[in-house]
Amino acid sequence: MRRLWGRLSSVNVQKAVWGLEELGLPYERVEAGGAFGRVRDPDYVALNPNGLVPVLEEDGFVLWESNAILRYLARGHDRGGLWPEQPQAAALVDQWLDWQATRFTPSTRDAFWQTVRTPPEQRDQAVIDRSVAASEDCAAILDAHLTGRPYAVGDRFTAADIALGAATHRWLHLDVPRIERPALRAWYERIRTRPAAAAALPPLS
């Protein structure tokens, strides 16, 4: 039995759901985190002592951290597809997963929280502006990389596109001014038409 804990409004849960859907793996998703609570309950903390989502349970095996889950799914169920066999290509997928987790998503976090989850009268425009500037730096890097490329690594869709795609979905749907990035936009529009993306990427909330 495979169970994924986490609400779909979480960008990290979206990555795991996208991976599961791409691979056609059966799973049960249990709402947790945010308004659903549960993450401080003793039984959940026993699964993930950080009290965060997502958590994957699979026949007694428990795994947390979204990119670890994505790597596990791709390596274990689609090596050569979502996870390339060639070592250098696989290393590049790792590179972009790490960059998404350490640079791109953190850069958008304050703008997301301020514009989506904070009442208008409590928002701090200076915080938003700093977050947008940092996000634009990351968007420029990704746009330059994707220029002339159909996907993040090589000529086929990989786990890197899932992680970057979920982060880009958040960035492009924030109600903030943005510089238009043609290559980034074209890539995003291409991957978001995938059925698995439609299942994983709801409106921001």
Side-chain angles (χ1 to χ4, degrees):
M1 180 179 178
R2 187 179 293 111
R3 178 182 293 117
L4 183 71
W5 293 80
R7 68 194 190 282
L8 204 52
S9 59
S10 161
V11 68
N12 291 321
V13 174
Q14 290 166 13
K15 289 184 286 182
V17 167
W18 196 342
L20 288 162
E21 293 285 341
E22 285 285 348
L23 296 168
L25 298 174
Y27 68 99
E28 172 197 10
R29 186 173 63 82
V30 181
E31 300 285 13
F36 297 100
R38 309 189 74 157
V39 295
R40 297 301 177 191
D41 293 349
D43 59 340
Y44 189 88
V45 173
L47 298 175
N48 183 354
N50 301 287
L52 298 172
V53 294
V55 169
L56 178 71
E57 289 186 277
E58 192 176 81
D59 297 325
F61 173 65
V62 177
L63 184 64
W64 38 266
E65 290 295 329
S66 59
N67 282 355
I69 292 170
L70 191 52
R71 287 182 173 100
Y72 168 72
L73 294 171
R75 288 170 174 165
H77 298 280
D78 199 28
R79 186 176 292 274
L82 288 182
W83 201 268
E85 291 277 12
Q86 203 275 336
Q88 291 183 349
L92 288 172
V93 173
D94 262 328
Q95 169 190 277
W96 286 109
L97 262 65
D98 287 351
W99 182 82
Q100 172 271 313
T102 62
R103 289 290 314 279
F104 195 12
T105 294
S107 75
T108 66
R109 183 173 294 120
D110 284 345
F112 171 77
W113 275 94
Q114 289 284 320
T115 63
V116 176
R117 295 187 177 166
T118 300
E121 67 277 8
Q122 297 178 21
R123 293 173 187 169
D124 186 328
Q125 190 60 47
V127 171
I128 296 172
D129 291 345
R130 285 194 297 271
S131 179
V132 168
S135 301
E136 286 287 13
D137 288 344
C138 291
I141 289 170
L142 192 52
D143 182 69
H145 173 72
L146 290 167
T147 299
R149 290 184 170 92
Y151 298 107
V153 176
D155 59 359
R156 64 185 300 169
F157 184 89
T158 68
D161 295 287
I162 293 176
L164 295 170
T168 298
H169 176 74
R170 169 175 283 189
W171 167 237
L172 292 181
H173 287 83
L174 292 179
D175 186 18
V176 296
R178 272 180 303 276
I179 298 170
E180 188 58 35
R181 312 283 182 181
L184 177 61
R185 174 70 68 172
W187 162 82
Y188 170 74
E189 295 297 341
R190 184 164 54 252
I191 65 171
R192 73 189 294 264
T193 63
R194 301 174 72 88
L201 303 178
L204 293 185
S205 62

